[in-house]
Amino acid sequence: MHDKILILDFGSQVTQLIARRVREARVYSEIHPYDVDPSFIEKFVKEQGCKGIILSGGPSSVTEGDTPRAPEIVFNLGVPVLGICYGMQTMAAQLGGQVATAESLGKSREFGYAEVRARGHTKLLENIQDFTTPEGHGILKVWMSHGDSVTELPAGFKLMASTDSCPIAGMADEDRRFYAVQFHPEVTHTVLGKAILERFVHQICACGTDWVMGDYIAEAVASIRKQVGSDEVILGLSGGVDSSVAAALIHRAIGAQLTCVFVDHGLLRLNEGKMVMDMFAKNLGVKVIHVDATNQFMGELAGVSDPEAKRKIIGKEFVEVFQVESGKIKNAKWLAQGTIYPDVIESAGKGKKGAHTIKSHHNVGGLPEDMKLQLLEPLRELFKDEVRELGVALGLPHEMVYRHPFPGPGLGVRILGEVKKEFADLLRRADAIFIEELRSTIDENSGKSWYDLTSQAFAVFLPVKSVGVMGDGRTYEYVVALRAVQTQDFMTAHWAHLPHDLLGRVSNRIINEVRGINRVVYDISGKPPATIEWE
């Protein structure tokens, strides 16, 4: 049984980052809503190896009477508790402290970079600091995002950290092993946040390091076999990392009981169909049905330009194709999907009562109520980096597993406005040139290719034409935008500062080799305010 950390979610958009940081420390973690039944928490601690609890941030204010509170049992089970942002405020309020709004204190809300002075030398922060002031005070570079502040410590707590605008930025009751910080250690902007969380889970909670993907395979295989039994499973194979790893894992578990349906909706990358069939059908011996549904998808997408409408249409058509194909398989009772945590995050998943849906995903929700297949989602609780680790451990090719993310709706959300076959053909060729140049261009400083140095890179088709000159003739053709970002968690991202000569080669090749495109632009927007994908 794994050592575990329980994360109670109060609705923050970055709660899942806490789980990711904990798992990066090789400790298994689970996220559950703050109002989960207390009996579940008690059982999780006493019977399932949970050695600590983290209370997440959230959008509410504890100064209001009907806002979320942690179940009282959290503070009575004898395990360490770490409160983050709202989690700190509700801990303070519930244990006898005081919390006030910034407005009532005559102060501004605090969002963004801050420098926190570590005080009290608690076990959580001892010897963790970014720099020391001339007076000898240890300082942490952190990320704040709060309007309320703790104004009075609960009994038994001492001051652990402070800023000029937030006198109580951290507190601790070391006898009970209760700790709380107003800043967010889970985000990359908090420089030593990872070290703080590792200190909590390893030294304070005494968790081991047994969450390893190679070991996870045996557990997942056993779980799939138990869940599926002798039934047959149908899986929608897109060619992306998530569905490919899901297929390899399920095939490892149940072999010939798995049938993959590879749907070519006309919105795949260049030569993707051949790559998928070669890898799975020829090399891994997986049963794969290749369905060319290009005309079906293009017909349904004709005249549709709204991004959300396109996503829903593509999702609906996928499900319909699966239903038709599953009807041909005698004992198919399960539909497998490569759903992972980020899909759930952006679809305002579990525990997100106050969260906003940024965009929908075709493999999260939207399934018809009369669907005859049960869902099998073996990757649903894994982050992308864990999925890649799992893929390598399963024997999938490194170059496939570490491909950049590709959206479920494919090029359908990289073609702005109406989707047409003509546009998809132009875009996939332009995109292939961009990726080829990124792979072949080596950065002198790191020795890595620019493909490896970027987290996601792709071309976007813009439904506008511009005037150009080729030879002695005037052209009036389409425009593509190049997008390349660097990120650690895909929650925030910076545009990649690609070398100008690389961008020049890509532009020159696209304009010369893809007839129909005469202008190339580069997207220098970060996330936020933009999203990584354009739609």
Side-chain angles (χ1 to χ4, degrees), residues 324-370:
V324 169
E325 295 304 324
S326 67
K328 302 175 184 177
I329 301 172
K330 184 177 179 180
N331 196 33
K333 295 183 180 178
W334 297 86
L335 170 62
Q337 297 192 123
T339 307
I340 66 172
Y341 246 168
D343 299 333
V344 179
I345 295 169
E346 289 201 329
S347 295
K350 60 186 181 183
K352 289 291 188 296
K353 294 186 177 182
H356 294 281
T357 300
I358 307 302
K359 56 187 176 181
S360 65
H361 291 261
H362 78 274
N363 58 341
V364 179
L367 298 171
E369 293 182 3
D370 62 349

Side-chain angles (χ1 to χ4, degrees), residues 72-113:
E72 288 296 330
I73 195 171
V74 166
F75 305 112
N76 298 320
L77 288 170
V79 296
V81 181
L82 172 64
I84 296 174
C85 195
Y86 185 89
M88 170 174 170
Q89 294 159 14
T90 195
M91 178 189 289
Q94 290 180 243
L95 297 179
Q98 296 293 323
V99 179
T101 64
E103 291 79 4
S104 68
L105 298 172
K107 296 182 178 181
S108 299
R109 293 181 296 171
E110 192 173 24
F111 295 99
Y113 174 80

Side-chain angles (χ1 to χ4, degrees), residues 63 88-89 98-102 105 107 110 146-152 165-168 182:
T63 62
M88 170 174 170
Q89 294 159 14
Q98 296 293 323
V99 179
T101 64
L105 298 172
K107 296 182 178 181
E110 192 173 24
H146 68 104
D148 295 354
S149 298
V150 176
T151 57
E152 182 180 325
S165 59
C166 185
I168 303 178
Q182 187 57 66

